[in-house]
Amino acid sequence: MTASSVTSQVSPPEPPDVDDHDDDHGGWWSDSPGWAKAVVAVGAVLILLLVGGLAGAVIGQRTAPTYAPAAGSVDVGFLQDMSVHHRQAIQMAVWERSNTTDPALRQLAFDIESSQTQQLGMMQGWLQLWEQRGETAPGQYMAWMGMPMPSMPGMATEADLQRLRASTGQPLDVEFLQLMLRHHEGGLHMMESAAAQASVPAVRTLATSMVTTQTAESQTMTQLLAARGAAPLPMN
Amino acid sequence: MAGARKRTSSAGRSAPKNRQVPWLLIGAIVVVLALIGGIGFFLFDRSAQISPWRPSQDNRDPSLAIPGIVLQAYEGQHHVTPEQRVAYDRTPPFGGPHDGYWAACNGQVYPQPVRNENMVHSLEHGAVWIAYDPARVQGAALDTLTAKVQGQNQMMMSPYPGLEQPISLQSWGHQLAVPDATDPRIDQFISSLRGNPNGVFPEVGASCDALGPGAFDPANPPPFEGQPYPRDALPMNYQGTSGAGGMGGAG
């Protein structure tokens, strides 16, 4: 009844639906200056944008599986396989660095050892973040390329490694160069596949840099072998 | 009672209305201003965190935006022996054939000039090399540069006699000459290129450590030899280089 009495007196400027609730403050909105209305309107728009943005961010986070690739994906499969591949290269390079008498071969072996140790750390770190195991399950090598294999191309056998460790002097250098050259060339196809197909950009970038580095190192090792009168091994 | 108040106000419309404090309006304005301020700070803070000089998938080589940057493409992995020299096409060189032994680039501050052929190999490993003219960069300026290098992996610094500008920065395929040690482009260059994973230098993840005497000894590096290059210096077309022969054939 209060409201109606107000309405009767001030009815021309005030619509009836407003004064039903705002009788205490009168027409604060309609009485407000234009700039204040503008500020409040901008605020309303901002709140709407914020709510929309937050909702979008939450939905976006839910639908970004590329940053946690699943087991069996190209990313996980490549990192697991290449971890095994790199570990053996590091093993052979460490042996050569410690036992060669040729300073140039020592430098080459150290370069391979240190580069691949760094790359192994990156690969293991990503696998750990994605809660995947650090290496391929036995007999499942290259399954991510559509053909599970008991081993990977270029890998040295236990007999190869024993022959390497039993050698000294130039025969050791030749063994090392032959095994490492075959190792590099055997891994190339996997690296190229991952460089082209991995879903995570950082994995593609790493695989690309492996291709660049190892292609160049393979050329160097081919020349070093030739200079020692030895031929490369056939691919296994 | 509200009606009574209202009635009074409608009686003298302008004067008594001033007594009425519009708390709701004031509150709304305060909330909106706080919201604008908060969003503004958030955006500013975020833009400050996302450095335009940090390599990313969308910005693979941020150094391309640095005013004055000089670019030149080189092939990696072409080696010369410790006895050979290369007739480099740039001063200081920033790519091309190089010695099989890389110079230590694990934060090394060389007090003396170092042989070009070793330094170029370190660039292949992703190092940034700060070269300075010892006649024009001394004291506080030298301290400023030293602080950017010492203890920093993939950084190295050496005096370089006869530079055109007092300071020259090298990364594989990239060079930037600056007039003084406080130039903001120095940090932009380092942030953009040092250890950049996107293939702007040939050997990502390669080491900057040296193997010491018999290979490259940071305490006793091969001495710098300036221009003119000797008649038998190897050309920049990579002929006569490579690891063949085994003497300079490291990676």
Side-chain angles (χ1 to χ4, degrees):
Chain A
M1 29 70 200
T2 326
S4 64
S5 67
V6 172
T7 310
S8 62
Q9 293 191 5
V10 207
S11 57
E14 286 190 349
D17 57 333
V18 170
D19 56 9
D20 268 358
H21 308 287
D22 275 40
D23 47 359
D24 252 351
H25 302 277
W28 67 271
W29 174 253
S30 50
D31 288 347
S32 305
W35 64 266
K37 286 179 186 171
V39 169
V40 174
V42 165
V45 169
L46 279 178
I47 289 170
L48 281 175
L49 283 176
L50 257 181
V51 169
L54 278 174
V58 167
I59 293 166
Q61 271 190 342
R62 288 220 183 111
T63 57
T66 48
Y67 287 93
S73 64
V74 168
D75 302 73
V76 170
F78 169 69
L79 295 180
Q80 289 174 335
D81 277 358
M82 199 45 67
S83 291
V84 176
H85 213 261
H86 268 41
R87 276 205 182 90
Q88 191 182 61
I90 294 165
Q91 181 188 351
M92 295 191 293
V94 165
W95 186 269
E96 173 72 3
R97 173 163 77 86
S98 304
N99 292 282
T100 183
T101 51
D102 184 333
L105 263 290
R106 178 174 300 128
Q107 189 80 3
L108 171 66
F110 175 60
D111 200 9
I112 294 171
E113 170 201 341
S114 48
S115 298
Q116 298 210 10
T117 302
Q118 152 104 5
Q119 291 166 352
L120 178 62
M122 296 172 75
M123 297 191 287
Q124 290 293 298
W126 290 331
L127 288 171
Q128 189 175 353
L129 281 175
W130 304 338
E131 299 179 340
Q132 301 292 335
R133 52 183 294 167
E135 64 291 300
T136 317
Q140 291 299 308
Y141 296 109
M142 302 168 76
W144 58 278
M145 297 173 77
M147 40 173 175
M149 305 278 278
S151 181
M152 289 176 276
M155 291 290 282
T157 63
E158 194 50 43
D160 290 334
L161 295 174
Q162 283 175 8
R163 206 169 57 248
L164 176 76
R165 290 193 288 260
S167 308
T168 55
Q170 179 149 322
L172 168 65
D173 295 339
V174 169
E175 286 285 353
F176 170 74
L177 288 168
Q178 286 177 328
L179 292 176
M180 190 60 81
L181 178 58
R182 187 180 65 181
H183 202 270
H184 271 36
E185 289 174 341
L188 198 58
H189 185 40
M190 287 192 280
M191 297 166 196
E192 287 169 343
S193 297
Q197 294 169 17
S199 67
V200 177
V203 176
R204 287 200 303 270
T205 300
L206 177 65
T208 305
S209 72
M210 286 178 186
V211 171
T212 307
T213 303
Q214 297 203 15
T215 303
E217 282 174 353
S218 292
Q219 288 168 3
T220 299
M221 289 191 286
T222 304
Q223 290 163 344
L224 291 173
L225 267 180
R228 284 159 182 76
L233 298 175
M235 185 50 60
N236 56 354
Chain B
M1 100 200 142
R5 226 202 290 164
K6 192 73 194 177
R7 230 169 266 121
T8 323
S9 74
S10 59
R13 190 146 182 91
S14 60
K17 203 172 72 123
N18 288 345
R19 285 205 332 264
Q20 215 178 332
V21 184
W23 288 115
L24 197 58
L25 180 64
I26 290 172
I29 290 172
V30 167
V31 165
V32 168
L33 290 181
L35 205 60
I36 291 171
I39 291 173
F41 178 78
F42 178 75
L43 291 178
F44 175 81
D45 198 46
R46 264 180 73 98
S47 67
Q49 281 174 359
I50 300 171
S51 164
W53 309 110
R54 187 169 304 147
S56 65
Q57 290 301 320
D58 302 326
N59 190 10
R60 299 176 71 82
D61 184 355
S63 77
L64 301 181
I66 300 176
I69 189 102
V70 175
L71 305 171
Q72 170 76 48
Y74 294 106
E75 281 182 33
Q77 198 76 17
H78 291 274
H79 291 157
V80 304
T81 67
E83 295 76 30
Q84 289 175 314
R85 291 194 59 193
V86 178
Y88 285 111
D89 55 348
R90 302 280 188 167
T91 306
F94 54 93
H98 47 264
D99 196 292
Y101 300 108
W102 63 88
C105 46
N106 44 9
Q108 284 287 329
V109 176
Y110 295 99
Q112 70 281 70
V114 180
R115 184 166 166 266
N116 280 332
E117 286 78 0
N118 302 92
M119 299 297 264
V120 169
H121 194 161
S122 305
L123 302 182
E124 192 190 40
H125 285 203
V128 168
W129 171 19
I130 302 181
Y132 64 94
D133 183 350
R136 286 180 287 177
V137 179
Q138 295 158 349
L142 191 55
D143 292 344
T144 301
L145 294 180
T146 302
K148 298 180 193 297
V149 176
Q150 225 156 35
Q152 303 295 312
N153 191 38
Q154 291 178 303
M155 290 295 298
M156 58 180 184
M157 180 164 98
S158 71
Y160 203 99
L163 283 180
E164 240 171 65
Q165 288 219 48
I167 298 165
S168 181
L169 305 168
Q170 285 73 231
S171 165
W172 183 271
H174 300 70
Q175 188 170 51
L176 179 71
V178 295
D180 71 90
T182 57
D183 195 305
R185 291 175 298 166
I186 295 177
D187 287 342
Q188 294 169 2
F189 186 92
I190 295 170
S191 171
S192 298
L193 294 166
R194 170 190 173 209
N196 181 320
N198 297 322
V200 300
F201 55 86
E203 288 191 44
V204 176
S207 175
C208 267
D209 298 331
L211 288 177
F216 182 93
D217 184 1
N220 186 24
F224 173 79
E225 296 171 276
Q227 295 180 33
Y229 295 115
R231 197 178 288 271
D232 63 348
L234 295 165
M236 287 301 289
N237 62 7
Y238 308 106
Q239 278 174 11
T241 63
S242 90
M247 286 167 297

